Amino acid sequence: MRVLVTGGAGFIGANFVQYVLAQRPDWEILNLDALTYAGNLENLAALDAEPRYRFVHGDVCDRALLDQLLPGVDAVVHFAAESHVDRSILDATAFIRTNVQGTQTLLDAARQAQTPRFLFVSTDEVYGALGAQGRFTESSPLAPNSPYAASKAAADMLVRAAFHTHRQPVLTTRASNNYGAYQFPEKFIPLVITHALAGEPIPVYGEGKNVRNWIHAQDHCAGILAALERGMPGEVYNLGGDDELDNLSLVRRLLQLTGASESLIRFVPDRPGHDFRYSLDSTRARRELGWRPHVAFDDGLGRTVSWYRQHPDWVAHIRDGSFRQYYQSQYATRLAQARTAQ
Ligand code: NAD
Ligand code: DAU
């Protein structure tokens, strides 16, 4: 089996590449990644001597490159995306290019190459937001609220259209919020951990009451592999974790795990259009793919904190780069208006 993974130098992609090479000893992986600010070859340094792995530096919008790479590929797993909601609020341009145009370009190239399987890694954010009750199933209407979510929903619909129009053998997974090793510290869990370890203020949007449904990246990767091997073309599979938590409770748990003080918490002005709650019903994936999450939340959080503690160089390289500038533009004004925890 020869698999083209896009975005394999990012957080979930890097976890997936390593997971698949370990789980499927006869599979080969070609990793196509543009190495944006979120792509990091340090995530894959362990594979430098792995003969079943090859990295290609390139863009999913580059049709000529895709036409060279796809012949002989048995499956595409498409992670490559602009993935951060807050950045999409600052400027959505790259989201439309990579997430929408890039997905269609990859679909077209895979159709021409007659690639037998194409899995699109989508997100629960395409469904929009929930109140305190209820869960999203695969037949819930799509109602994305942020530019990021709208760009993923557009791509998700283009994948659906490729099946209905061309009978292209595509599948879609929609996962809830991931956490684990290699996550870029713009996202909430690694942001809280790295700030707690450094004794820096922790920005919590609004009152910290928004709820997320967390899944460990390893469990997400297992779900993607299960869908790739056993999913039905044209179908969508929700991959949600078992754990739902409001943001403030999550910060408190992470502060306990890192040994840092609650005095670091700063309540800052909210994200515009902040979705209140996500919750996925993954019954279909459990029933039809025989998949379920295995990582207990406390254990997964503890392992994630340990990973960031043990990789100070990885963190320092990111925090020395363009991230510093992004952090300023996203948080300087907010932190100036912050309230501390009582
Ligand atoms: P990430 O931002 O950490 O990584 C994205 C990767 O894509 C990077 O390596 C980047 O260099 C690459 N990339 C960006 N533009 C590219 C382009 N034009 N061509 C080639 N490569 C490009 O993202 P992540 O958190 O690992 O998310 C991966 C996928 O999973 C995304 O599609 C995201 O929408 C989806 N997803 C993420 C979560 C989550 O909680 N992080 C949950 C559900 C779904
Ligand atoms: O649900 C799946 C989605 O989860 C993925 O599709 C996205 O790629 C991924 O980024 C993630 O989106 P969120 O917006 O939910 O994740 P984020 O880590 O940015 O925020 C998680 C929660 O924490 C959210 O309620 C906003 C809040 N938050 C976030 C940041 C960065 C804060 O309170 N303060 C912060 O500084």
Side-chain angles (χ1 to χ4, degrees):
M1 186 86 166
R2 200 148 187 257
V3 183
L4 175 72
V5 170
T6 72
F11 159 47
I12 307 170
N15 276 286
F16 183 75
V17 168
Q18 296 183 61
Y19 180 79
V20 168
L21 288 171
Q23 298 289 321
R24 298 289 177 268
D26 53 345
W27 287 25
E28 289 174 18
I29 292 192
L30 198 58
N31 171 20
L32 172 66
D33 196 296
L35 299 181
T36 67
Y37 78 90
N40 186 350
L41 289 180
E42 285 180 56
N43 299 351
L44 297 159
L47 301 177
D48 280 349
E50 171 57 66
R52 293 182 294 129
Y53 169 75
R54 181 156 78 90
F55 175 70
V56 178
H57 186 194
D59 194 316
V60 290
C61 298
D62 182 345
R63 177 62 192 266
L65 175 62
L66 296 176
D67 288 343
Q68 277 176 35
L69 296 177
L70 279 165
V73 163
D74 301 297
V76 170
V77 182
H78 180 33
F79 291 95
E82 289 293 331
S83 67
H84 193 36
V85 171
D86 289 326
R87 289 188 193 249
S88 79
I89 295 168
L90 292 175
D91 182 359
T93 313
F95 291 74
I96 306 307
R97 183 181 177 278
T98 290
N99 300 3
V100 185
Q101 191 188 324
T103 300
Q104 186 61 46
T105 307
L106 192 57
L107 281 167
D108 290 342
R111 191 167 70 254
Q112 180 169 302
Q114 300 186 341
T115 307
R117 223 146 165 84
F118 183 113
L119 188 145
F120 174 59
V121 181
S122 190
T123 167
D124 61 359
E125 296 202 15
V126 300
Y127 296 120
L130 290 165
Q133 302 295 321
R135 307 183 100 181
F136 294 122
T137 69
E138 290 82 355
S139 51
S140 299
L142 302 202
N145 290 320
S146 72
Y148 160 71
S151 69
K152 290 295 288 187
D156 194 307
M157 291 295 94
L158 290 169
V159 172
R160 174 189 153 90
F163 178 75
H164 284 271
T165 307
H166 302 292
R167 292 287 139 188
Q168 195 167 345
V170 294
L171 302 132
T172 297
T173 55
R174 295 181 185 142
S176 60
N177 282 64
N178 282 227
Y179 71 101
Y182 309 113
Q183 189 167 27
F184 196 87
E186 65 190 356
K187 306 287 173 18
F188 195 48
I189 285 185
L191 187 145
V192 174
I193 295 171
T194 53
H195 282 221
L197 293 176
E200 292 171 5
I202 293 168
V204 174
Y205 293 160
E207 305 289 323
K209 292 192 171 140
N210 299 61
V211 174
R212 292 295 181 263
N213 178 189
W214 294 99
I215 182 170
H216 194 276
Q218 288 271 314
D219 282 329
H220 184 194
C221 292
I224 292 171
L225 183 58
L228 186 67
E229 293 186 314
R230 298 191 286 283
M232 287 284 289
E235 291 299 334
V236 175
Y237 299 93
N238 284 348
L239 300 173
D242 288 330
D243 299 279
E244 273 186 43
L245 203 66
D246 67 83
N247 293 335
L248 187 55
S249 305
L250 174 60
V251 172
R252 291 197 163 122
R253 279 204 205 185
L254 290 169
L255 288 172
Q256 273 181 356
L257 286 166
T258 51
S261 158
E262 289 199 10
S263 65
L264 294 177
I265 296 174
R266 300 287 184 281
F267 293 102
V268 300
D270 209 348
R271 170 186 283 176
H274 194 173
D275 283 341
F276 177 64
R277 173 172 165 260
Y278 304 136
S279 181
L280 277 183
D281 180 335
S282 310
T283 307
R284 169 182 275 178
R286 287 168 193 245
R287 198 180 51 224
E288 297 178 19
L289 305 176
W291 167 87
R292 68 181 175 85
H294 288 279
V295 181
F297 196 44
D298 280 332
D299 180 40
L301 280 185
R303 282 200 268 146
T304 305
V305 169
S306 301
W307 188 88
Y308 283 90
R309 261 193 215 285
Q310 287 158 11
H311 292 82
D313 291 348
W314 185 96
V315 174
H317 293 164
I318 287 175
R319 283 162 54 105
D320 278 354
S322 62
F323 181 64
R324 192 186 289 272
Q325 212 180 333
Y326 163 76
Y327 190 79
Q328 268 299 104
S329 64
Q330 188 63 251
Y331 292 99
T333 311
R334 276 193 163 110
L335 283 167
Q337 300 169 30
R339 270 190 316 108
T340 50
Q342 299 307 311

